[in-house]
Amino acid sequence: MTLFPIQISIPSIPRPVKPTGLWSWLTTIDHKRIGILYGVTAFILFLSGGIEATLMRLQLSGPELDLVSAEVYNQLFTMHGTTMIFLAIMPMGAAFFNFIIPLQIGARDVAFPRLNAFSYWTFLAGAIMLKLSWIGGATNAGWFGYAPLTSVSQNPGTGIDFWIISLQILGVASLAAAFNFIVTIINMRAPGMHMMRLPVFIWMSFITAILLVLAFPVITVALIELTLDRYYDFNFFNVANGGSVVLWQHLFWVFGHPEVYILILPAMGIVSEVLPVFSRKPLFGYSTIVLAGAIIAFMGWMVWSHHMFTVGLGPAANAIFTITTMLIAVPTGIKVFNWLATIWGGSIKLNTPMLFSLGFIAMFLIGGISGVMHAVSASDAQQQDTYFIPAHIHYAVFGGAIMALMSGVHYWFQKTTGKMFGEILGKFHFWTLMLGQNLTFFPMHFVGLEGMPRRIYTYAEGMGWDLWNGVSTFGVFILIISFLAFMLNVIKSWKSGPIAPADPWDARTLEWSIPSPAPEYNFSEIPQVKALDDWWVTKQENPDIEVPDALENHSIHLPQPSYWPFVTALGILIAAYGVVFNDLLVPYLIAGIGTLVTFIGVYSWSLEPVNDPDEHTSH
Amino acid sequence: MNIKKITTILLAGIILTLTACYPENFNQTTFHPYGPVAERQLDIFWLILIGGIVVFLLVEGILIYSALKFRRKKDSPLPKQIHGNHKLEIVWTVIPGIVVLIFSILSINTLMYAADVPKDAEGNLGNHKSLHAIGHQWWFEFRYPHPNDDSQQVVLANEVYIPVGIPVRIELDTVDVIHSFWVPKLAGKVDMVPKPKDRNGVKDNNYMWFEASEPGIYFGQCAEFCGASHANMKFKIIAVTPSEYDAWLMTQIEPAAEWPDPLAKEGADVFKSAGCSGCHSLKPVAKIGSKGRLGPNLTHVASRTHLAAGMLNNTISLNTTTINDAYLQENLRDWITNPASIKPGNLMSAQATVYTDPDKALTESQISALIAYLTTLK
C-alpha cells in the first residue's frame, strides 16, 4: 500500500546497511550507539572545558600574574561555563537517557530513532559552532550574557553571535531529544510497567525532559530578541531607546534555574538506582522520591529571581524569592534523607559505582548548604558575584552531577561494553577526585567571603586571597591526574577487561536481565512486568534464573540506519556558520547552501524507503 | 574536677581555638563589619552557617557510619526489605520545612533593615547624607549635594569621604553597562543598573545605605562583570568624624590652589592642547543631573590616595591617606605612558588621539610637564 502516489516517482537512495565502520556510526539510529556517541563527545568537550578552567586557575594561582590577557580570560570563563553546562553535563545526561531508557523500560529503541540520531548530530553541530568561535575571538560576556555587554556597541565582534547561534542549535537538539524521550517513556513501556513501576532514573529523565521542553523556549525567545537587537537594531535590551536590561536577566534565569535541575535531576536518578543495588535493599520511599523530584522541578520555576537579589527588584520581591528558594531545600532534603534510609541497615558493597554515589551525597550536601546561605537574600548581598558562588555551583554541579555521572559510567560500563570496569583504577579515580575537587573548590568559599569578586582576571596582593587561590590551583592538578586515570581505565577495560556477566551487581532493573553487552535488539522477547524492580523480584521468586546468551542470528525487526539525520544536521551547521557573519555576501551564500542541504535532508528523510521487503510503512 | 569546671575549660578552649582561626581583618573581608548593615548581614550568615553545620555533621555522620557499619560480609544475609516509612518521611519533611521558614522570616528582618535608611518617628527617612555613585567602564564617579548651592553637585572620582555614625544613602547609576557597588565591610552589594528615564526625565535608580561605625579606609570593588577590566574597578570609602567631613567637603567645592611653578604652568597648557580637558573636567562642581565628561574629574586628583580606580597607590601603605608625592608622580608617569597595560580596554587609550595617533603622542618633556601640573592639583 502506498500512502502517497507521488512517492513512486521520486528517486530515493536506499538505506545504508553496513554494520561496522565509520559509515555505520554516521548513519546509526541504534539508541545504544547514539548513547555512546553522546557520552564520548560530551567527555571530550568536558576535557576542553577543563583545559579552559585550568588556564584560568593558573592565571589566578597567585596575585598579578600575566599568563593570559584580560580579554582572553573573559573568553575563557565564558566558554568554560557554556561548555560545561551545554556541551558536557547536559549531553552526558543525554548519553544515559539514550542508553538506559529503552533498556530500563523494556523497549527495543526510542520512539523516534531517526530523530534521536538527528538530536545527536545537531548537538554536535552546536558544539562545533561554539568551539569554532575561538578562531577570531570567543564570546566574552559570561555564560549568562547579561545585556548590555552583549550589545553591538559593547561587543562588536562575532563571538557573541557564535554563542547565540550555537545555543539556538543546541536548543533544537535538546528539544528534539526531550520530546523523543517523553514519547518513549509514555508509549514504549513494556506491558505491565505502569508509571509507578518505572525505575527512578526513568522518572527523573522524564521530569528532566519535561523541564527541557518548557525551559528552552524561554532562552530561545531571549536569544531571538538579542539577535534582532544585534542584527537589525531592535531595542529589546537598549535602555537608551526604552528597552530593559533587566528583561534579559528575567528571561535568562527563568530558563537558567530550571536548567540547574536539568543538570542535577538525572544525577539524582542515577544515584537512586545505584544505592539500592549496592545495599541490597529497595529504595526507601520510592513514591516520595519520585514526588520530591516532581516538586523540585515544579518549584524550580518559582525561584529564578534569587539570581537577581542585588539587581534592585525591591525588598518585597527579594523576600518572596527568599522564601520560595528556601522551601526548595525541603524536597531536596527529603531525597537525601531517603537515600540515607536506603543504605541504613543495608548490606553495603563499596564497589566503584557505590563509592561515587555516596560521594555524590557527601559533596552535593555541601553545595546544598551553601545554596541555602545565598537563598537568603540578606546574606546573599555579601555573597552574590563573589567566589562563594563558584564554590557553591561546583559542589552542586561537579561534586553533584559529575560524581553521579561517574557513578553511572562505572555502573553501566559492563552493559555498554560487555567488559568489567577496572576496580583498582576506578577507586584511585574516586579518591583523587574527592581530594582534588575539595582542594579546588572548598577554598573558593573562603576567598569569596573575604571579598574576592568572581570573573576577575587578576587580583592585588595582600587581600587574603593568595594562599587559597594557590591551593585551589594545586587541586586542579590532582583532578587532572584523576581524569587521566579514568581515561586509562576506560581504554584498558574496554580493550582487555574481563568479560562481564549479564548481571554483575545482582541488580534490580530490566537492563540486567539481558546479556552484556546489550544486544542490538535489547530484548529477544519483550518482558512482562509485574512489579517495581521487576528483575530483582523475578530473581527472588526464581533464584536459578539465567540470562540467555545473545542470539547469533535473529530476525527481530529493528529500525534501519539512515543517512538523513546526519545530512540534515550538517546543513544546519553550514547554515549557522553563514548566519554568524550576517552582513557579507559569501556568508549569505554559505547560509543558503546550508539551508538547501538541510532541506534535502528533511525531504529525503520523509520519503526514505525501507530496505526490509516485508515492511510497507516507513518509520 | 567537677563537670562545671570541665565544661568551662572546654568552652574556653573552643572559644580560643575559634578566635585563633577567625579570619584575619583583610581589606575586603565580610568577617569584620564596621557598620550596622554589614553586621546584621554577617549575623544572618552565622545563623545559617550554624544550622548548616548541624545538618552537615548529621548527614555526613550517618553516611560514613552506614558505609562502615553495614558493610557486606561473605555470610551477610539479605537485609530486611524496607520499602519506606511514611511517619519518618513526614518528620523529615516537616522539620526542615519549619526550620527554613524560621530562617527566612529572621532574614527578612535584616533584608528590610538593609533596604533603606532607618525611618524617624514621623515615618520619614531619618538623618542621613545623600550621595550619587555612577559606574563607568571602569571607574566610579561620585557626586555630593553642594553644601551652599541646591542646584549644584560636587563631583569626585573613585574615592569618597563619609562621616562616621551618620547613615549614608547612595543612589546608584551607570552610564554604560551593569556594575555593582560593594564595600564588604560596610554593606552587601547593590547593582548599578542602566534604567530608562520616565516621562519627567527621572530615572528609578537603585539605592543603598550604610553607616560606618569607626573612622577608617574601607575598600570597595565592582562586583558585577562589566567587561575587559572588570577586575580593575575599585574604589575607597574614607570615613572621618563629622566635623572633619564638613571641613573636607568645603575644600572640595573649590578648585585646587594654583602653584607658581613654571613647569606646572607648561603642564597646564599641555593638559588643554593635548586634549585631556576634553574628557577630564577640572571644575569641582556641576549642575545637578548634568551629564559628566567621559573621564574622571581631576580637580583634586593629587589628593587622592590612588590612581586609575584603585590600581596605583599614592600612599606608602594602604592604611594612610597621606599622599607620597614621589609615588604619585611615578604612578602618573606609569599611567600616562601606558594606560592600556594598567587597565586593558580603557577608553582613554582606545580613543584619545595622543594614544591612537603616533604623530600626536606626548613627548617626554610634555609628560613631565603634565605630571608636574597634575601633582599640584591637591
Side-chain angles (χ1 to χ4, degrees), chain B residues 161-181:
Chain B
Y161 282 64
I162 60 166
V164 164
I166 299 174
V168 180
R169 189 177 192 270
I170 304 192
E171 192 178 324
L172 303 167
D173 198 355
T174 169
V175 298
D176 37 51
V177 301
I178 303 172
H179 302 279
S180 192
F181 192 86

mmCIF file with all atom_site columns, all heavy atoms in Angstrom, chain B residues 161-181:
data_model
loop_
_atom_site.group_PDB
_atom_site.id
_atom_site.type_symbol
_atom_site.label_atom_id
_atom_site.label_alt_id
_atom_site.label_comp_id
_atom_site.label_asym_id
_atom_site.label_entity_id
_atom_site.label_seq_id
_atom_site.pdbx_PDB_ins_code
_atom_site.Cartn_x
_atom_site.Cartn_y
_atom_site.Cartn_z
_atom_site.occupancy
_atom_site.B_iso_or_equiv
_atom_site.pdbx_formal_charge
_atom_site.auth_seq_id
_atom_site.auth_comp_id
_atom_site.auth_asym_id
_atom_site.auth_atom_id
_atom_site.pdbx_PDB_model_num
ATOM 1   N N   . TYR B 1 161 ? 34.626 60.566 50.891 1.00 0.00 ? 161 TYR B N   1
ATOM 2   C CA  . TYR B 1 161 ? 34.639 60.674 52.345 1.00 0.00 ? 161 TYR B CA  1
ATOM 3   C C   . TYR B 1 161 ? 33.210 60.567 52.847 1.00 0.00 ? 161 TYR B C   1
ATOM 4   O O   . TYR B 1 161 ? 32.273 61.040 52.202 1.00 0.00 ? 161 TYR B O   1
ATOM 5   C CB  . TYR B 1 161 ? 35.243 62.014 52.763 1.00 0.00 ? 161 TYR B CB  1
ATOM 6   C CG  . TYR B 1 161 ? 36.751 62.026 52.678 1.00 0.00 ? 161 TYR B CG  1
ATOM 7   C CD1 . TYR B 1 161 ? 37.395 61.873 51.460 1.00 0.00 ? 161 TYR B CD1 1
ATOM 8   C CD2 . TYR B 1 161 ? 37.527 62.198 53.831 1.00 0.00 ? 161 TYR B CD2 1
ATOM 9   C CE1 . TYR B 1 161 ? 38.770 61.871 51.384 1.00 0.00 ? 161 TYR B CE1 1
ATOM 10  C CE2 . TYR B 1 161 ? 38.903 62.208 53.758 1.00 0.00 ? 161 TYR B CE2 1
ATOM 11  C CZ  . TYR B 1 161 ? 39.532 62.038 52.532 1.00 0.00 ? 161 TYR B CZ  1
ATOM 12  O OH  . TYR B 1 161 ? 40.900 62.038 52.455 1.00 0.00 ? 161 TYR B OH  1
ATOM 13  N N   . ILE B 1 162 ? 33.049 59.924 53.977 1.00 0.00 ? 162 ILE B N   1
ATOM 14  C CA  . ILE B 1 162 ? 31.743 59.903 54.629 1.00 0.00 ? 162 ILE B CA  1
ATOM 15  C C   . ILE B 1 162 ? 31.947 60.184 56.114 1.00 0.00 ? 162 ILE B C   1
ATOM 16  O O   . ILE B 1 162 ? 33.016 59.926 56.659 1.00 0.00 ? 162 ILE B O   1
ATOM 17  C CB  . ILE B 1 162 ? 31.019 58.548 54.443 1.00 0.00 ? 162 ILE B CB  1
ATOM 18  C CG1 . ILE B 1 162 ? 31.836 57.399 55.041 1.00 0.00 ? 162 ILE B CG1 1
ATOM 19  C CG2 . ILE B 1 162 ? 30.698 58.278 52.994 1.00 0.00 ? 162 ILE B CG2 1
ATOM 20  C CD1 . ILE B 1 162 ? 31.047 56.117 55.188 1.00 0.00 ? 162 ILE B CD1 1
ATOM 21  N N   . PRO B 1 163 ? 30.919 60.747 56.757 1.00 0.00 ? 163 PRO B N   1
ATOM 22  C CA  . PRO B 1 163 ? 31.030 60.996 58.196 1.00 0.00 ? 163 PRO B CA  1
ATOM 23  C C   . PRO B 1 163 ? 30.726 59.720 58.980 1.00 0.00 ? 163 PRO B C   1
ATOM 24  O O   . PRO B 1 163 ? 29.847 58.950 58.604 1.00 0.00 ? 163 PRO B O   1
ATOM 25  C CB  . PRO B 1 163 ? 29.962 62.051 58.447 1.00 0.00 ? 163 PRO B CB  1
ATOM 26  C CG  . PRO B 1 163 ? 28.947 61.827 57.375 1.00 0.00 ? 163 PRO B CG  1
ATOM 27  C CD  . PRO B 1 163 ? 29.667 61.274 56.190 1.00 0.00 ? 163 PRO B CD  1
ATOM 28  N N   . VAL B 1 164 ? 31.450 59.503 60.056 1.00 0.00 ? 164 VAL B N   1
ATOM 29  C CA  . VAL B 1 164 ? 31.214 58.338 60.908 1.00 0.00 ? 164 VAL B CA  1
ATOM 30  C C   . VAL B 1 164 ? 29.902 58.517 61.676 1.00 0.00 ? 164 VAL B C   1
ATOM 31  O O   . VAL B 1 164 ? 29.552 59.629 62.075 1.00 0.00 ? 164 VAL B O   1
ATOM 32  C CB  . VAL B 1 164 ? 32.390 58.178 61.895 1.00 0.00 ? 164 VAL B CB  1
ATOM 33  C CG1 . VAL B 1 164 ? 32.019 57.244 63.035 1.00 0.00 ? 164 VAL B CG1 1
ATOM 34  C CG2 . VAL B 1 164 ? 33.608 57.669 61.175 1.00 0.00 ? 164 VAL B CG2 1
ATOM 35  N N   . GLY B 1 165 ? 29.153 57.434 61.828 1.00 0.00 ? 165 GLY B N   1
ATOM 36  C CA  . GLY B 1 165 ? 27.981 57.454 62.691 1.00 0.00 ? 165 GLY B CA  1
ATOM 37  C C   . GLY B 1 165 ? 26.737 58.065 62.075 1.00 0.00 ? 165 GLY B C   1
ATOM 38  O O   . GLY B 1 165 ? 25.707 58.175 62.737 1.00 0.00 ? 165 GLY B O   1
ATOM 39  N N   . ILE B 1 166 ? 26.815 58.478 60.827 1.00 0.00 ? 166 ILE B N   1
ATOM 40  C CA  . ILE B 1 166 ? 25.624 59.032 60.163 1.00 0.00 ? 166 ILE B CA  1
ATOM 41  C C   . ILE B 1 166 ? 25.316 58.134 58.957 1.00 0.00 ? 166 ILE B C   1
ATOM 42  O O   . ILE B 1 166 ? 26.209 57.825 58.171 1.00 0.00 ? 166 ILE B O   1
ATOM 43  C CB  . ILE B 1 166 ? 25.878 60.477 59.687 1.00 0.00 ? 166 ILE B CB  1
ATOM 44  C CG1 . ILE B 1 166 ? 26.201 61.357 60.888 1.00 0.00 ? 166 ILE B CG1 1
ATOM 45  C CG2 . ILE B 1 166 ? 24.672 61.015 58.921 1.00 0.00 ? 166 ILE B CG2 1
ATOM 46  C CD1 . ILE B 1 166 ? 26.607 62.765 60.514 1.00 0.00 ? 166 ILE B CD1 1
ATOM 47  N N   . PRO B 1 167 ? 24.064 57.689 58.820 1.00 0.00 ? 167 PRO B N   1
ATOM 48  C CA  . PRO B 1 167 ? 23.741 56.858 57.655 1.00 0.00 ? 167 PRO B CA  1
ATOM 49  C C   . PRO B 1 167 ? 24.003 57.609 56.353 1.00 0.00 ? 167 PRO B C   1
ATOM 50  O O   . PRO B 1 167 ? 23.746 58.809 56.264 1.00 0.00 ? 167 PRO B O   1
ATOM 51  C CB  . PRO B 1 167 ? 22.244 56.572 57.827 1.00 0.00 ? 167 PRO B CB  1
ATOM 52  C CG  . PRO B 1 167 ? 21.971 56.794 59.271 1.00 0.00 ? 167 PRO B CG  1
ATOM 53  C CD  . PRO B 1 167 ? 22.912 57.868 59.706 1.00 0.00 ? 167 PRO B CD  1
ATOM 54  N N   . VAL B 1 168 ? 24.535 56.870 55.387 1.00 0.00 ? 168 VAL B N   1
ATOM 55  C CA  . VAL B 1 168 ? 24.792 57.452 54.073 1.00 0.00 ? 168 VAL B CA  1
ATOM 56  C C   . VAL B 1 168 ? 23.916 56.716 53.074 1.00 0.00 ? 168 VAL B C   1
ATOM 57  O O   . VAL B 1 168 ? 23.896 55.490 53.039 1.00 0.00 ? 168 VAL B O   1
ATOM 58  C CB  . VAL B 1 168 ? 26.275 57.274 53.678 1.00 0.00 ? 168 VAL B CB  1
ATOM 59  C CG1 . VAL B 1 168 ? 26.537 57.884 52.321 1.00 0.00 ? 168 VAL B CG1 1
ATOM 60  C CG2 . VAL B 1 168 ? 27.173 57.865 54.729 1.00 0.00 ? 168 VAL B CG2 1
ATOM 61  N N   . ARG B 1 169 ? 23.170 57.491 52.301 1.00 0.00 ? 169 ARG B N   1
ATOM 62  C CA  . ARG B 1 169 ? 22.280 56.865 51.314 1.00 0.00 ? 169 ARG B CA  1
ATOM 63  C C   . ARG B 1 169 ? 22.837 57.172 49.929 1.00 0.00 ? 169 ARG B C   1
ATOM 64  O O   . ARG B 1 169 ? 23.017 58.340 49.566 1.00 0.00 ? 169 ARG B O   1
ATOM 65  C CB  . ARG B 1 169 ? 20.877 57.426 51.466 1.00 0.00 ? 169 ARG B CB  1
ATOM 66  C CG  . ARG B 1 169 ? 19.824 56.712 50.665 1.00 0.00 ? 169 ARG B CG  1
ATOM 67  C CD  . ARG B 1 169 ? 18.467 57.343 50.987 1.00 0.00 ? 169 ARG B CD  1
ATOM 68  N NE  . ARG B 1 169 ? 17.345 56.565 50.501 1.00 0.00 ? 169 ARG B NE  1
ATOM 69  C CZ  . ARG B 1 169 ? 16.809 56.719 49.302 1.00 0.00 ? 169 ARG B CZ  1
ATOM 70  N NH1 . ARG B 1 169 ? 17.331 57.585 48.452 1.00 0.00 ? 169 ARG B NH1 1
ATOM 71  N NH2 . ARG B 1 169 ? 15.762 55.983 48.940 1.00 0.00 ? 169 ARG B NH2 1
ATOM 72  N N   . ILE B 1 170 ? 23.111 56.124 49.180 1.00 0.00 ? 170 ILE B N   1
ATOM 73  C CA  . ILE B 1 170 ? 23.764 56.309 47.889 1.00 0.00 ? 170 ILE B CA  1
ATOM 74  C C   . ILE B 1 170 ? 22.824 55.913 46.767 1.00 0.00 ? 170 ILE B C   1
ATOM 75  O O   . ILE B 1 170 ? 22.298 54.801 46.745 1.00 0.00 ? 170 ILE B O   1
ATOM 76  C CB  . ILE B 1 170 ? 25.044 55.452 47.786 1.00 0.00 ? 170 ILE B CB  1
ATOM 77  C CG1 . ILE B 1 170 ? 25.978 55.782 48.943 1.00 0.00 ? 170 ILE B CG1 1
ATOM 78  C CG2 . ILE B 1 170 ? 25.734 55.677 46.468 1.00 0.00 ? 170 ILE B CG2 1
ATOM 79  C CD1 . ILE B 1 170 ? 27.357 55.213 48.778 1.00 0.00 ? 170 ILE B CD1 1
ATOM 80  N N   . GLU B 1 171 ? 22.615 56.838 45.839 1.00 0.00 ? 171 GLU B N   1
ATOM 81  C CA  . GLU B 1 171 ? 21.852 56.500 44.642 1.00 0.00 ? 171 GLU B CA  1
ATOM 82  C C   . GLU B 1 171 ? 22.826 55.923 43.627 1.00 0.00 ? 171 GLU B C   1
ATOM 83  O O   . GLU B 1 171 ? 23.909 56.457 43.433 1.00 0.00 ? 171 GLU B O   1
ATOM 84  C CB  . GLU B 1 171 ? 21.170 57.748 44.101 1.00 0.00 ? 171 GLU B CB  1
ATOM 85  C CG  . GLU B 1 171 ? 20.147 57.422 43.051 1.00 0.00 ? 171 GLU B CG  1
ATOM 86  C CD  . GLU B 1 171 ? 19.428 58.667 42.553 1.00 0.00 ? 171 GLU B CD  1
ATOM 87  O OE1 . GLU B 1 171 ? 19.173 59.577 43.360 1.00 0.00 ? 171 GLU B OE1 1
ATOM 88  O OE2 . GLU B 1 171 ? 19.159 58.711 41.337 1.00 0.00 ? 171 GLU B OE2 1
ATOM 89  N N   . LEU B 1 172 ? 22.434 54.821 43.000 1.00 0.00 ? 172 LEU B N   1
ATOM 90  C CA  . LEU B 1 172 ? 23.369 54.090 42.146 1.00 0.00 ? 172 LEU B CA  1
ATOM 91  C C   . LEU B 1 172 ? 22.947 54.175 40.691 1.00 0.00 ? 172 LEU B C   1
ATOM 92  O O   . LEU B 1 172 ? 21.838 53.797 40.325 1.00 0.00 ? 172 LEU B O   1
ATOM 93  C CB  . LEU B 1 172 ? 23.427 52.623 42.579 1.00 0.00 ? 172 LEU B CB  1
ATOM 94  C CG  . LEU B 1 172 ? 23.804 52.394 44.048 1.00 0.00 ? 172 LEU B CG  1
ATOM 95  C CD1 . LEU B 1 172 ? 23.519 50.960 44.447 1.00 0.00 ? 172 LEU B CD1 1
ATOM 96  C CD2 . LEU B 1 172 ? 25.259 52.742 44.291 1.00 0.00 ? 172 LEU B CD2 1
ATOM 97  N N   . ASP B 1 173 ? 23.840 54.697 39.880 1.00 0.00 ? 173 ASP B N   1
ATOM 98  C CA  . ASP B 1 173 ? 23.533 54.890 38.466 1.00 0.00 ? 173 ASP B CA  1
ATOM 99  C C   . ASP B 1 173 ? 24.715 54.377 37.651 1.00 0.00 ? 173 ASP B C   1
ATOM 100 O O   . ASP B 1 173 ? 25.762 54.046 38.198 1.00 0.00 ? 173 ASP B O   1
ATOM 101 C CB  . ASP B 1 173 ? 23.315 56.393 38.219 1.00 0.00 ? 173 ASP B CB  1
ATOM 102 C CG  . ASP B 1 173 ? 22.581 56.649 36.918 1.00 0.00 ? 173 ASP B CG  1
ATOM 103 O OD1 . ASP B 1 173 ? 22.320 55.676 36.169 1.00 0.00 ? 173 ASP B OD1 1
ATOM 104 O OD2 . ASP B 1 173 ? 22.276 57.824 36.634 1.00 0.00 ? 173 ASP B OD2 1
ATOM 105 N N   . THR B 1 174 ? 24.518 54.287 36.351 1.00 0.00 ? 174 THR B N   1
ATOM 106 C CA  . THR B 1 174 ? 25.621 53.859 35.482 1.00 0.00 ? 174 THR B CA  1
ATOM 107 C C   . THR B 1 174 ? 25.455 54.544 34.138 1.00 0.00 ? 174 THR B C   1
ATOM 108 O O   . THR B 1 174 ? 24.340 54.886 33.749 1.00 0.00 ? 174 THR B O   1
ATOM 109 C CB  . THR B 1 174 ? 25.644 52.331 35.291 1.00 0.00 ? 174 THR B CB  1
ATOM 110 O OG1 . THR B 1 174 ? 26.553 52.006 34.248 1.00 0.00 ? 174 THR B OG1 1
ATOM 111 C CG2 . THR B 1 174 ? 24.270 51.796 34.932 1.00 0.00 ? 174 THR B CG2 1
ATOM 112 N N   . VAL B 1 175 ? 26.578 54.766 33.450 1.00 0.00 ? 175 VAL B N   1
ATOM 113 C CA  . VAL B 1 175 ? 26.477 55.374 32.122 1.00 0.00 ? 175 VAL B CA  1
ATOM 114 C C   . VAL B 1 175 ? 26.594 54.331 31.024 1.00 0.00 ? 175 VAL B C   1
ATOM 115 O O   . VAL B 1 175 ? 26.351 54.629 29.866 1.00 0.00 ? 175 VAL B O   1
ATOM 116 C CB  . VAL B 1 175 ? 27.566 56.440 31.903 1.00 0.00 ? 175 VAL B CB  1
ATOM 117 C CG1 . VAL B 1 175 ? 27.415 57.569 32.899 1.00 0.00 ? 175 VAL B CG1 1
ATOM 118 C CG2 . VAL B 1 175 ? 28.945 55.818 31.985 1.00 0.00 ? 175 VAL B CG2 1
ATOM 119 N N   . ASP B 1 176 ? 26.994 53.105 31.360 1.00 0.00 ? 176 ASP B N   1
ATOM 120 C CA  . ASP B 1 176 ? 27.175 52.119 30.285 1.00 0.00 ? 176 ASP B CA  1
ATOM 121 C C   . ASP B 1 176 ? 26.533 50.778 30.637 1.00 0.00 ? 176 ASP B C   1
ATOM 122 O O   . ASP B 1 176 ? 25.340 50.596 30.433 1.00 0.00 ? 176 ASP B O   1
ATOM 123 C CB  . ASP B 1 176 ? 28.662 51.976 29.918 1.00 0.00 ? 176 ASP B CB  1
ATOM 124 C CG  . ASP B 1 176 ? 29.587 52.060 31.126 1.00 0.00 ? 176 ASP B CG  1
ATOM 125 O OD1 . ASP B 1 176 ? 29.338 51.336 32.093 1.00 0.00 ? 176 ASP B OD1 1
ATOM 126 O OD2 . ASP B 1 176 ? 30.552 52.848 31.092 1.00 0.00 ? 176 ASP B OD2 1
ATOM 127 N N   . VAL B 1 177 ? 27.311 49.843 31.191 1.00 0.00 ? 177 VAL B N   1
ATOM 128 C CA  . VAL B 1 177 ? 26.764 48.510 31.466 1.00 0.00 ? 177 VAL B CA  1
ATOM 129 C C   . VAL B 1 177 ? 26.402 48.405 32.945 1.00 0.00 ? 177 VAL B C   1
ATOM 130 O O   . VAL B 1 177 ? 26.467 49.378 33.680 1.00 0.00 ? 177 VAL B O   1
ATOM 131 C CB  . VAL B 1 177 ? 27.790 47.412 31.076 1.00 0.00 ? 177 VAL B CB  1
ATOM 132 C CG1 . VAL B 1 177 ? 28.132 47.513 29.616 1.00 0.00 ? 177 VAL B CG1 1
ATOM 133 C CG2 . VAL B 1 177 ? 29.029 47.512 31.934 1.00 0.00 ? 177 VAL B CG2 1
ATOM 134 N N   . ILE B 1 178 ? 26.030 47.196 33.370 1.00 0.00 ? 178 ILE B N   1
ATOM 135 C CA  . ILE B 1 178 ? 25.701 46.984 34.768 1.00 0.00 ? 178 ILE B CA  1
ATOM 136 C C   . ILE B 1 178 ? 26.987 46.865 35.581 1.00 0.00 ? 178 ILE B C   1
ATOM 137 O O   . ILE B 1 178 ? 27.895 46.119 35.217 1.00 0.00 ? 178 ILE B O   1
ATOM 138 C CB  . ILE B 1 178 ? 24.865 45.694 34.938 1.00 0.00 ? 178 ILE B CB  1
ATOM 139 C CG1 . ILE B 1 178 ? 23.598 45.770 34.087 1.00 0.00 ? 178 ILE B CG1 1
ATOM 140 C CG2 . ILE B 1 178 ? 24.513 45.479 36.403 1.00 0.00 ? 178 ILE B CG2 1
ATOM 141 C CD1 . ILE B 1 178 ? 22.821 44.469 34.049 1.00 0.00 ? 178 ILE B CD1 1
ATOM 142 N N   . HIS B 1 179 ? 27.071 47.638 36.647 1.00 0.00 ? 179 HIS B N   1
ATOM 143 C CA  . HIS B 1 179 ? 28.154 47.473 37.620 1.00 0.00 ? 179 HIS B CA  1
ATOM 144 C C   . HIS B 1 179 ? 27.510 47.127 38.954 1.00 0.00 ? 179 HIS B C   1
ATOM 145 O O   . HIS B 1 179 ? 26.288 47.124 39.077 1.00 0.00 ? 179 HIS B O   1
ATOM 146 C CB  . HIS B 1 179 ? 28.968 48.760 37.740 1.00 0.00 ? 179 HIS B CB  1
ATOM 147 C CG  . HIS B 1 179 ? 29.564 49.228 36.451 1.00 0.00 ? 179 HIS B CG  1
ATOM 148 N ND1 . HIS B 1 179 ? 30.720 48.700 35.936 1.00 0.00 ? 179 HIS B ND1 1
ATOM 149 C CD2 . HIS B 1 179 ? 29.156 50.159 35.554 1.00 0.00 ? 179 HIS B CD2 1
ATOM 150 C CE1 . HIS B 1 179 ? 31.013 49.308 34.791 1.00 0.00 ? 179 HIS B CE1 1
ATOM 151 N NE2 . HIS B 1 179 ? 30.069 50.190 34.523 1.00 0.00 ? 179 HIS B NE2 1
ATOM 152 N N   . SER B 1 180 ? 28.337 46.828 39.938 1.00 0.00 ? 180 SER B N   1
ATOM 153 C CA  . SER B 1 180 ? 27.769 46.560 41.255 1.00 0.00 ? 180 SER B CA  1
ATOM 154 C C   . SER B 1 180 ? 28.618 47.237 42.312 1.00 0.00 ? 180 SER B C   1
ATOM 155 O O   . SER B 1 180 ? 29.842 47.145 42.300 1.00 0.00 ? 180 SER B O   1
ATOM 156 C CB  . SER B 1 180 ? 27.697 45.057 41.505 1.00 0.00 ? 180 SER B CB  1
ATOM 157 O OG  . SER B 1 180 ? 26.895 44.820 42.640 1.00 0.00 ? 180 SER B OG  1
ATOM 158 N N   . PHE B 1 181 ? 27.947 47.955 43.223 1.00 0.00 ? 181 PHE B N   1
ATOM 159 C CA  . PHE B 1 181 ? 28.626 48.786 44.212 1.00 0.00 ? 181 PHE B CA  1
ATOM 160 C C   . PHE B 1 181 ? 28.772 47.998 45.497 1.00 0.00 ? 181 PHE B C   1
ATOM 161 O O   . PHE B 1 181 ? 27.779 47.619 46.112 1.00 0.00 ? 181 PHE B O   1
ATOM 162 C CB  . PHE B 1 181 ? 27.786 50.053 44.446 1.00 0.00 ? 181 PHE B CB  1
ATOM 163 C CG  . PHE B 1 181 ? 28.498 51.106 45.226 1.00 0.00 ? 181 PHE B CG  1
ATOM 164 C CD1 . PHE B 1 181 ? 29.312 52.027 44.587 1.00 0.00 ? 181 PHE B CD1 1
ATOM 165 C CD2 . PHE B 1 181 ? 28.344 51.197 46.602 1.00 0.00 ? 181 PHE B CD2 1
ATOM 166 C CE1 . PHE B 1 181 ? 29.956 53.013 45.301 1.00 0.00 ? 181 PHE B CE1 1
ATOM 167 C CE2 . PHE B 1 181 ? 29.000 52.188 47.321 1.00 0.00 ? 181 PHE B CE2 1
ATOM 168 C CZ  . PHE B 1 181 ? 29.806 53.095 46.672 1.00 0.00 ? 181 PHE B CZ  1
#
